[in-house]
Amino acid sequence: MRILVTGAAGFVGSNLAKRLAADGHETAALDDFSSASWVNLVDFPGDVLTCDVASNIDVLTAGKPFDVIFHQGSITDTTVLDQRKMMHNNVEGFRKVLDLAAGWGSRVVWASSAATYGRGPAPMRESQKPEPLNVYGYSKLAMERLADQYRPRLRQPVVALRYFNVYGPGEQHKGKFASMIHQLAKQMRAGKRPRIFTDGTQKRDFVYIDDVLQANLKAMNSAASGVFNVGSGAAGSFNEVVEQLNRVLKTDVQPDYFENPYDFFQTWTEADLTQSRKVLGYAPAYDLRRGIDAYHASGTLGA
């Protein structure tokens, strides 16, 4: 198929674009390169389009249609407090993607977020009340509602994937916004004590990048539209992450605890995968231990 990946120089987008190209699809990678890295696309063999979909899509409207759009592009820095910037980039950019899909007859698979749940009860189910804690989480919720409004105009399904805490190769460019697993490993490799919020018992559903790719590929063949969780289906604490990193890095360092400065912090995220398994056939292959093993084997953990 002819496939477009937006946000393709980013973490998930670059891994997805390279996987689709390797699977034999005619894949185009689109990014505005405002925060992602060209380094992630060195091994990508297809066409690279430089475009901000929220502002100007002439490069897309002038080209051939795409069968599938994987929309991964958005501001992912959850600490951005500029409401206009976040909403314009994420929501209005998605609106233009949906307009293109309506005209082309494209299937759409796109990245939502577990941030829509806020501090809601865990394990988190797609049917529970959304409780976003910041404008990033709200922007993803607004995008989900926008997709619902567009469904009657779309000839193919539109599938939202609520990513939990994704980690793995390709996230290095994100710096302080990379996964906690990457950041803590980097500190430990530098001989420092890993800094985590007091008292390290906060839980996250850490999901390895290969499972996120699996979910996207499954969603590409889904017969139904909808919103689906993408996680490992289990929560691990920050203390457990440090324990696993000590194991693979062959270190023995204790956490350096400090007070959490954020009032929009989620203390426990965990994905209920009932719907993802039933509708998409999603079956995560990596728990925290196996995922960290795979990340370490890639040679990029904390690098």
Side-chain angles (χ1 to χ4, degrees), residues 37-247:
S37 175
W38 60 269
V39 174
N40 284 338
L41 292 176
V42 169
D43 296 331
F44 174 70
D47 191 14
V48 177
L49 309 174
T50 304
C51 171
D52 176 359
V53 294
S55 300
N56 189 326
I57 56 172
D58 289 350
V59 68
L60 292 174
T61 54
K64 295 191 300 181
F66 290 91
D67 301 305
V68 184
I69 303 172
F70 284 95
H71 182 52
Q72 307 294 309
S74 69
I75 294 176
T76 57
D77 176 359
T78 59
T79 65
V80 170
L81 302 180
D82 185 330
Q83 299 179 69
R84 186 185 183 282
K85 179 179 179 181
M86 184 72 77
M87 295 298 289
H88 175 74
N89 183 290
N90 292 4
V91 181
E92 297 311 316
F94 188 42
R95 191 187 308 275
K96 290 191 176 181
V97 167
L98 291 171
D99 282 335
L100 288 170
W104 289 339
S106 311
R107 175 184 295 269
V108 178
V109 180
W110 67 280
S112 186
S113 172
T116 57
Y117 292 117
R119 294 194 188 96
M124 293 154 165
R125 298 172 176 83
E126 295 89 342
S127 58
Q128 72 190 56
K129 179 183 176 182
E131 301 179 47
L133 298 171
N134 54 17
V135 68
Y136 168 74
Y138 174 69
S139 74
K140 292 296 184 176
L141 178 61
M143 292 165 73
E144 290 181 4
R145 290 170 174 167
L146 184 63
D148 283 340
Q149 295 170 28
Y150 267 79
R151 280 188 193 180
R153 296 173 50 188
L154 300 174
R155 284 171 271 171
Q156 300 291 335
V158 53
V159 178
L161 301 177
R162 283 181 177 167
Y163 297 161
F164 280 67
N165 288 76
V166 190
Y167 67 100
E171 64 171 318
Q172 295 88 333
H173 71 279
K174 298 181 72 172
K176 66 179 182 178
F177 303 115
S179 71
M180 283 297 296
I181 290 174
H182 177 75
Q183 292 186 60
L184 295 176
K186 189 169 186 177
Q187 293 169 25
M188 293 165 71
R189 288 181 58 158
K192 301 176 182 177
R193 292 173 61 191
R195 302 196 75 223
I196 57 179
F197 297 146
T198 306
D199 55 1
T201 57
Q202 306 90 341
K203 295 180 178 179
R204 288 284 182 275
D205 188 325
F206 296 102
V207 55
Y208 190 60
I209 184 63
D210 285 9
D211 281 334
V212 174
L213 298 186
Q214 179 208 150
N216 275 274
L217 297 177
K218 297 277 190 184
M220 181 171 66
N221 296 307
S222 174
S225 295
V227 177
F228 302 96
N229 286 336
V230 178
S232 70
S237 72
F238 288 179
N239 286 330
E240 289 177 83
V241 170
V242 172
E243 179 182 339
Q244 291 298 326
L245 290 175
N246 270 319
R247 179 180 61 82

